[in-house]
Amino acid sequence: MRFTRDYSAEIDRLKNEIETADAIVIGAGAGLSTAAGFTYSGERLQKYFGDFVEKYGFRDMYSGGFYPFPTPEEQWAYWSRYIYINRYMDVDNGTYKRLFELVKGKEYFVLTTNVDHQFQKAGFDKHRLFYTQGDYGLWQCSEPCHQKTYDNEETVRKMFEQQKNMRVPSELVPKCPVCGKPMRMNLRADDTFVEDDGWHNAAERYDEFLRRHDGLHILFLELGVGMNTPVIIKYPFWKMTYANPKAVYVCVNYGEAYAPDEIAGQSICINGDIHEVLNVLA
Ligand SMILES: [Zn+2]
């Protein structure tokens, strides 16, 4: 395992790589959104979910997301706040925008497990993005009876504004337009996750991007990817770097920045806050 060497030397190497790479593949995990200000506990939890915390003792927003609420009205009171503050509200402290400034003129593609839509909000081209795990802004049939997703912005805004005593009005509870069963979030939790046309097109564009730059000087820029789901970004980045002597792997992570021995000579590891690292790079 290769851990961080000299911080500023690694930053200089990264700067040089961003300037000289033929293509940049950004792999982004939860740590990037945390650095951008999307915290799911502490002050933000208290501010928006104080009543739910008091009633159920939730320690963070995620745990509430899995809670079996007694009624759909209460469930959607919870979820509409969750979606609104993490998807539609402006939160980014500049982290995503700074990242965009770094790569906007380059040949880039983004692979991410984040579902908060921040890449598009910061200006990234949606044809260069692959959100593998879904999007807070989309609903699907809970069965699912068909493979389509639905934009939820209008209803979520209404739910957020009109809820009272931890309940949304019953007429706002979303039902599948085809079978009438409840709708749910388009988030990958199990095999009922709907991969719609948009998902498949993005997957195809990502494969095509990799094929087109095969064997070239590719920079795999991994930001805030932990060990929860390494099979989506981290392990493939390691493999593709190992298979291509011209490829460079970069791991920016607070506390978990390392690369395996086999690709140590092709790796840059930066143990630091992503927001600060991007500031220094800019
Ligand atoms: Zn249905």
Side-chain angles (χ1 to χ4, degrees):
M1 296 290 199
R2 179 160 174 316
F3 290 88
T4 316
R5 292 183 303 198
D6 179 60
Y7 184 78
S8 66
E10 295 290 83
I11 295 266
D12 286 345
R13 285 182 65 210
L14 174 54
K15 213 178 215 169
N16 182 55
E17 285 300 331
I18 291 172
E19 278 161 19
T20 59
D22 294 318
I24 301 173
V25 182
I26 294 171
L32 178 60
S33 281
T34 307
F38 291 86
T39 47
Y40 283 72
S41 56
E43 211 178 289
R44 282 182 95 231
L45 177 72
Q46 274 307 327
K47 182 170 178 190
Y48 296 103
F49 296 94
D51 45 2
F52 281 98
V53 169
E54 197 179 317
K55 185 169 173 186
Y56 295 108
F58 300 144
R59 298 280 184 83
D60 55 60
M61 293 180 211
Y62 297 110
S63 27
F66 296 108
Y67 192 83
F69 291 106
T71 63
E73 287 81 1
E74 191 173 341
Q75 180 200 341
W76 286 110
Y78 189 88
W79 268 104
S80 58
R81 293 186 209 176
Y82 192 115
I83 302 164
Y84 182 76
I85 68 166
N86 294 309
R87 169 69 168 76
Y88 296 120
M89 220 163 89
D90 286 323
V91 175
D92 183 16
N93 56 18
T95 302
Y96 277 91
K97 290 195 182 78
R98 210 143 281 151
L99 181 60
F100 179 58
E101 291 301 317
L102 273 180
V103 302
K104 68 178 178 188
K106 319 256 177 218
E107 183 67 346
Y108 73 82
F109 202 98
V110 177
L111 174 69
T112 184
T113 50
N114 294 349
V115 293
D116 51 21
H117 210 73
Q118 295 306 306
F119 282 99
Q120 263 164 282
K121 275 188 120 170
F124 285 82
D125 176 358
K126 69 172 181 182
H127 297 106
R128 293 174 178 271
L129 298 175
F130 180 21
Y131 291 87
T132 64
Q133 308 301 86
D135 186 324
Y136 284 147
L138 298 173
W139 284 334
Q140 62 164 79
C141 173
S142 53
E143 282 288 294
C145 73
H146 66 299
Q147 299 287 307
K148 245 180 97 172
T149 58
Y150 296 85
D151 186 291
N152 64 26
E153 180 164 6
E154 204 190 321
T155 312
V156 165
R157 284 182 185 276
K158 280 187 196 157
M159 286 174 164
F160 186 80
E161 284 155 16
Q162 296 176 20
Q163 60 179 271
K164 281 195 200 94
N165 303 319
M166 302 159 75
R167 294 170 65 88
V168 299
S170 298
E171 64 270 21
L172 291 180
V173 170
K175 302 249 164 52
C176 172
V178 177
C179 73
K181 296 234 169 73
M183 295 290 257
R184 47 156 269 203
M185 303 299 296
N186 180 229
L187 298 176
R188 189 188 300 279
D190 52 40
D191 59 5
T192 62
F193 174 68
V194 167
E195 294 172 354
D196 65 3
D197 289 346
W199 190 97
H200 286 285
N201 292 339
E204 178 52 39
R205 278 194 289 268
Y206 177 58
D207 282 347
E208 199 268 329
F209 185 90
L210 292 175
R211 275 200 304 275
R212 194 150 35 92
H213 299 96
D214 191 28
L216 298 179
H217 178 187
I218 300 192
L219 180 64
F220 291 103
L221 178 54
E222 186 194 289
L223 302 169
V225 175
M227 287 309 271
N228 287 335
T229 47
V231 293
I232 298 168
I233 297 170
K234 193 181 278 292
Y235 292 169
F237 276 18
W238 288 357
K239 266 192 209 161
M240 289 187 283
T241 302
Y242 182 67
N244 175 359
K246 284 194 197 162
V248 173
Y249 169 71
V250 181
C251 179
V252 185
N253 203 323
Y254 202 60
E256 278 187 295
Y258 62 88
D261 288 339
E262 290 81 353
I263 55 167
Q266 292 166 265
S267 298
I268 298 172
C269 296
I270 299 173
N271 181 3
D273 176 69
I274 299 169
H275 180 69
E276 271 171 41
V277 170
L278 290 172
N279 273 345
V280 175
L281 283 171

mmCIF file with all atom_site columns, all heavy atoms in Angstrom, residues 141-146 176-183, ligand 1:
data_model
loop_
_atom_site.group_PDB
_atom_site.id
_atom_site.type_symbol
_atom_site.label_atom_id
_atom_site.label_alt_id
_atom_site.label_comp_id
_atom_site.label_asym_id
_atom_site.label_entity_id
_atom_site.label_seq_id
_atom_site.pdbx_PDB_ins_code
_atom_site.Cartn_x
_atom_site.Cartn_y
_atom_site.Cartn_z
_atom_site.occupancy
_atom_site.B_iso_or_equiv
_atom_site.pdbx_formal_charge
_atom_site.auth_seq_id
_atom_site.auth_comp_id
_atom_site.auth_asym_id
_atom_site.auth_atom_id
_atom_site.pdbx_PDB_model_num
ATOM   1  N  N   . CYS A 1 141 ? -41.876 3.393  -9.986  1.00 0.00 ? 141 CYS A N   1
ATOM   2  C  CA  . CYS A 1 141 ? -42.893 2.521  -9.387  1.00 0.00 ? 141 CYS A CA  1
ATOM   3  C  C   . CYS A 1 141 ? -42.213 1.619  -8.361  1.00 0.00 ? 141 CYS A C   1
ATOM   4  O  O   . CYS A 1 141 ? -41.110 1.131  -8.584  1.00 0.00 ? 141 CYS A O   1
ATOM   5  C  CB  . CYS A 1 141 ? -43.548 1.671  -10.473 1.00 0.00 ? 141 CYS A CB  1
ATOM   6  S  SG  . CYS A 1 141 ? -44.661 0.413  -9.804  1.00 0.00 ? 141 CYS A SG  1
ATOM   7  N  N   . SER A 1 142 ? -42.863 1.370  -7.219  1.00 0.00 ? 142 SER A N   1
ATOM   8  C  CA  . SER A 1 142 ? -42.246 0.557  -6.174  1.00 0.00 ? 142 SER A CA  1
ATOM   9  C  C   . SER A 1 142 ? -42.180 -0.924 -6.556  1.00 0.00 ? 142 SER A C   1
ATOM   10 O  O   . SER A 1 142 ? -41.399 -1.676 -5.984  1.00 0.00 ? 142 SER A O   1
ATOM   11 C  CB  . SER A 1 142 ? -42.998 0.726  -4.850  1.00 0.00 ? 142 SER A CB  1
ATOM   12 O  OG  . SER A 1 142 ? -44.385 0.472  -5.044  1.00 0.00 ? 142 SER A OG  1
ATOM   13 N  N   . GLU A 1 143 ? -42.996 -1.367 -7.514  1.00 0.00 ? 143 GLU A N   1
ATOM   14 C  CA  . GLU A 1 143 ? -42.976 -2.797 -7.866  1.00 0.00 ? 143 GLU A CA  1
ATOM   15 C  C   . GLU A 1 143 ? -41.636 -3.280 -8.429  1.00 0.00 ? 143 GLU A C   1
ATOM   16 O  O   . GLU A 1 143 ? -41.125 -4.252 -7.876  1.00 0.00 ? 143 GLU A O   1
ATOM   17 C  CB  . GLU A 1 143 ? -44.104 -3.097 -8.858  1.00 0.00 ? 143 GLU A CB  1
ATOM   18 C  CG  . GLU A 1 143 ? -45.462 -3.215 -8.207  1.00 0.00 ? 143 GLU A CG  1
ATOM   19 C  CD  . GLU A 1 143 ? -45.603 -4.494 -7.405  1.00 0.00 ? 143 GLU A CD  1
ATOM   20 O  OE1 . GLU A 1 143 ? -45.588 -5.583 -7.992  1.00 0.00 ? 143 GLU A OE1 1
ATOM   21 O  OE2 . GLU A 1 143 ? -45.693 -4.391 -6.168  1.00 0.00 ? 143 GLU A OE2 1
ATOM   22 N  N   . PRO A 1 144 ? -41.062 -2.756 -9.496  1.00 0.00 ? 144 PRO A N   1
ATOM   23 C  CA  . PRO A 1 144 ? -41.638 -1.783 -10.422 1.00 0.00 ? 144 PRO A CA  1
ATOM   24 C  C   . PRO A 1 144 ? -42.365 -2.500 -11.564 1.00 0.00 ? 144 PRO A C   1
ATOM   25 O  O   . PRO A 1 144 ? -41.905 -3.515 -12.041 1.00 0.00 ? 144 PRO A O   1
ATOM   26 C  CB  . PRO A 1 144 ? -40.387 -1.083 -10.974 1.00 0.00 ? 144 PRO A CB  1
ATOM   27 C  CG  . PRO A 1 144 ? -39.324 -2.141 -10.945 1.00 0.00 ? 144 PRO A CG  1
ATOM   28 C  CD  . PRO A 1 144 ? -39.674 -3.129 -9.859  1.00 0.00 ? 144 PRO A CD  1
ATOM   29 N  N   . CYS A 1 145 ? -43.502 -1.901 -11.991 1.00 0.00 ? 145 CYS A N   1
ATOM   30 C  CA  . CYS A 1 145 ? -44.285 -2.532 -13.054 1.00 0.00 ? 145 CYS A CA  1
ATOM   31 C  C   . CYS A 1 145 ? -43.780 -2.124 -14.427 1.00 0.00 ? 145 CYS A C   1
ATOM   32 O  O   . CYS A 1 145 ? -44.124 -2.729 -15.431 1.00 0.00 ? 145 CYS A O   1
ATOM   33 C  CB  . CYS A 1 145 ? -45.764 -2.198 -12.902 1.00 0.00 ? 145 CYS A CB  1
ATOM   34 S  SG  . CYS A 1 145 ? -46.179 -0.496 -13.331 1.00 0.00 ? 145 CYS A SG  1
ATOM   35 N  N   . HIS A 1 146 ? -42.983 -1.042 -14.493 1.00 0.00 ? 146 HIS A N   1
ATOM   36 C  CA  . HIS A 1 146 ? -42.390 -0.640 -15.775 1.00 0.00 ? 146 HIS A CA  1
ATOM   37 C  C   . HIS A 1 146 ? -41.084 0.106  -15.508 1.00 0.00 ? 146 HIS A C   1
ATOM   38 O  O   . HIS A 1 146 ? -40.869 0.625  -14.412 1.00 0.00 ? 146 HIS A O   1
ATOM   39 C  CB  . HIS A 1 146 ? -43.368 0.205  -16.590 1.00 0.00 ? 146 HIS A CB  1
ATOM   40 C  CG  . HIS A 1 146 ? -43.690 1.538  -15.966 1.00 0.00 ? 146 HIS A CG  1
ATOM   41 N  ND1 . HIS A 1 146 ? -44.284 1.670  -14.724 1.00 0.00 ? 146 HIS A ND1 1
ATOM   42 C  CD2 . HIS A 1 146 ? -43.491 2.801  -16.409 1.00 0.00 ? 146 HIS A CD2 1
ATOM   43 C  CE1 . HIS A 1 146 ? -44.440 2.953  -14.441 1.00 0.00 ? 146 HIS A CE1 1
ATOM   44 N  NE2 . HIS A 1 146 ? -43.955 3.652  -15.449 1.00 0.00 ? 146 HIS A NE2 1
ATOM   45 N  N   . CYS A 1 176 ? -48.080 5.251  -8.733  1.00 0.00 ? 176 CYS A N   1
ATOM   46 C  CA  . CYS A 1 176 ? -47.620 4.891  -10.072 1.00 0.00 ? 176 CYS A CA  1
ATOM   47 C  C   . CYS A 1 176 ? -48.719 5.195  -11.103 1.00 0.00 ? 176 CYS A C   1
ATOM   48 O  O   . CYS A 1 176 ? -49.859 4.760  -10.929 1.00 0.00 ? 176 CYS A O   1
ATOM   49 C  CB  . CYS A 1 176 ? -47.258 3.415  -10.111 1.00 0.00 ? 176 CYS A CB  1
ATOM   50 S  SG  . CYS A 1 176 ? -46.896 2.817  -11.769 1.00 0.00 ? 176 CYS A SG  1
ATOM   51 N  N   . PRO A 1 177 ? -48.381 5.934  -12.166 1.00 0.00 ? 177 PRO A N   1
ATOM   52 C  CA  . PRO A 1 177 ? -49.397 6.277  -13.167 1.00 0.00 ? 177 PRO A CA  1
ATOM   53 C  C   . PRO A 1 177 ? -49.862 5.065  -13.987 1.00 0.00 ? 177 PRO A C   1
ATOM   54 O  O   . PRO A 1 177 ? -50.876 5.136  -14.667 1.00 0.00 ? 177 PRO A O   1
ATOM   55 C  CB  . PRO A 1 177 ? -48.675 7.286  -14.075 1.00 0.00 ? 177 PRO A CB  1
ATOM   56 C  CG  . PRO A 1 177 ? -47.230 7.046  -13.863 1.00 0.00 ? 177 PRO A CG  1
ATOM   57 C  CD  . PRO A 1 177 ? -47.073 6.518  -12.460 1.00 0.00 ? 177 PRO A CD  1
ATOM   58 N  N   . VAL A 1 178 ? -49.132 3.956  -13.890 1.00 0.00 ? 178 VAL A N   1
ATOM   59 C  CA  . VAL A 1 178 ? -49.513 2.766  -14.660 1.00 0.00 ? 178 VAL A CA  1
ATOM   60 C  C   . VAL A 1 178 ? -50.325 1.776  -13.815 1.00 0.00 ? 178 VAL A C   1
ATOM   61 O  O   . VAL A 1 178 ? -51.425 1.384  -14.187 1.00 0.00 ? 178 VAL A O   1
ATOM   62 C  CB  . VAL A 1 178 ? -48.260 2.070  -15.253 1.00 0.00 ? 178 VAL A CB  1
ATOM   63 C  CG1 . VAL A 1 178 ? -48.646 0.792  -15.979 1.00 0.00 ? 178 VAL A CG1 1
ATOM   64 C  CG2 . VAL A 1 178 ? -47.523 3.014  -16.194 1.00 0.00 ? 178 VAL A CG2 1
ATOM   65 N  N   . CYS A 1 179 ? -49.792 1.386  -12.621 1.00 0.00 ? 179 CYS A N   1
ATOM   66 C  CA  . CYS A 1 179 ? -50.479 0.354  -11.835 1.00 0.00 ? 179 CYS A CA  1
ATOM   67 C  C   . CYS A 1 179 ? -51.146 0.888  -10.568 1.00 0.00 ? 179 CYS A C   1
ATOM   68 O  O   . CYS A 1 179 ? -51.890 0.171  -9.907  1.00 0.00 ? 179 CYS A O   1
ATOM   69 C  CB  . CYS A 1 179 ? -49.504 -0.769 -11.479 1.00 0.00 ? 179 CYS A CB  1
ATOM   70 S  SG  . CYS A 1 179 ? -48.300 -0.311 -10.214 1.00 0.00 ? 179 CYS A SG  1
ATOM   71 N  N   . GLY A 1 180 ? -50.850 2.139  -10.209 1.00 0.00 ? 180 GLY A N   1
ATOM   72 C  CA  . GLY A 1 180 ? -51.489 2.729  -9.037  1.00 0.00 ? 180 GLY A CA  1
ATOM   73 C  C   . GLY A 1 180 ? -50.841 2.393  -7.698  1.00 0.00 ? 180 GLY A C   1
ATOM   74 O  O   . GLY A 1 180 ? -51.258 2.886  -6.649  1.00 0.00 ? 180 GLY A O   1
ATOM   75 N  N   . LYS A 1 181 ? -49.790 1.571  -7.716  1.00 0.00 ? 181 LYS A N   1
ATOM   76 C  CA  . LYS A 1 181 ? -49.081 1.255  -6.469  1.00 0.00 ? 181 LYS A CA  1
ATOM   77 C  C   . LYS A 1 181 ? -48.231 2.456  -6.035  1.00 0.00 ? 181 LYS A C   1
ATOM   78 O  O   . LYS A 1 181 ? -48.024 3.390  -6.819  1.00 0.00 ? 181 LYS A O   1
ATOM   79 C  CB  . LYS A 1 181 ? -48.187 0.025  -6.699  1.00 0.00 ? 181 LYS A CB  1
ATOM   80 C  CG  . LYS A 1 181 ? -48.966 -1.252 -7.028  1.00 0.00 ? 181 LYS A CG  1
ATOM   81 C  CD  . LYS A 1 181 ? -48.558 -2.364 -6.070  1.00 0.00 ? 181 LYS A CD  1
ATOM   82 C  CE  . LYS A 1 181 ? -49.470 -3.576 -6.168  1.00 0.00 ? 181 LYS A CE  1
ATOM   83 N  NZ  . LYS A 1 181 ? -49.270 -4.377 -7.383  1.00 0.00 ? 181 LYS A NZ  1
ATOM   84 N  N   . PRO A 1 182 ? -47.745 2.450  -4.789  1.00 0.00 ? 182 PRO A N   1
ATOM   85 C  CA  . PRO A 1 182 ? -46.943 3.601  -4.340  1.00 0.00 ? 182 PRO A CA  1
ATOM   86 C  C   . PRO A 1 182 ? -45.683 3.796  -5.196  1.00 0.00 ? 182 PRO A C   1
ATOM   87 O  O   . PRO A 1 182 ? -45.115 2.837  -5.692  1.00 0.00 ? 182 PRO A O   1
ATOM   88 C  CB  . PRO A 1 182 ? -46.547 3.221  -2.911  1.00 0.00 ? 182 PRO A CB  1
ATOM   89 C  CG  . PRO A 1 182 ? -47.516 2.171  -2.491  1.00 0.00 ? 182 PRO A CG  1
ATOM   90 C  CD  . PRO A 1 182 ? -47.920 1.445  -3.735  1.00 0.00 ? 182 PRO A CD  1
ATOM   91 N  N   . MET A 1 183 ? -45.290 5.065  -5.334  1.00 0.00 ? 183 MET A N   1
ATOM   92 C  CA  . MET A 1 183 ? -44.005 5.368  -5.958  1.00 0.00 ? 183 MET A CA  1
ATOM   93 C  C   . MET A 1 183 ? -42.935 5.306  -4.878  1.00 0.00 ? 183 MET A C   1
ATOM   94 O  O   . MET A 1 183 ? -43.223 5.410  -3.690  1.00 0.00 ? 183 MET A O   1
ATOM   95 C  CB  . MET A 1 183 ? -44.018 6.772  -6.553  1.00 0.00 ? 183 MET A CB  1
ATOM   96 C  CG  . MET A 1 183 ? -44.986 6.961  -7.695  1.00 0.00 ? 183 MET A CG  1
ATOM   97 S  SD  . MET A 1 183 ? -44.468 6.082  -9.184  1.00 0.00 ? 183 MET A SD  1
ATOM   98 C  CE  . MET A 1 183 ? -43.822 7.452  -10.160 1.00 0.00 ? 183 MET A CE  1
HETATM 99 ZN ZN  . ZN  B 2 .   ? -46.468 0.568  -11.320 1.00 0.00 ? 1   ZN  B ZN  1
#
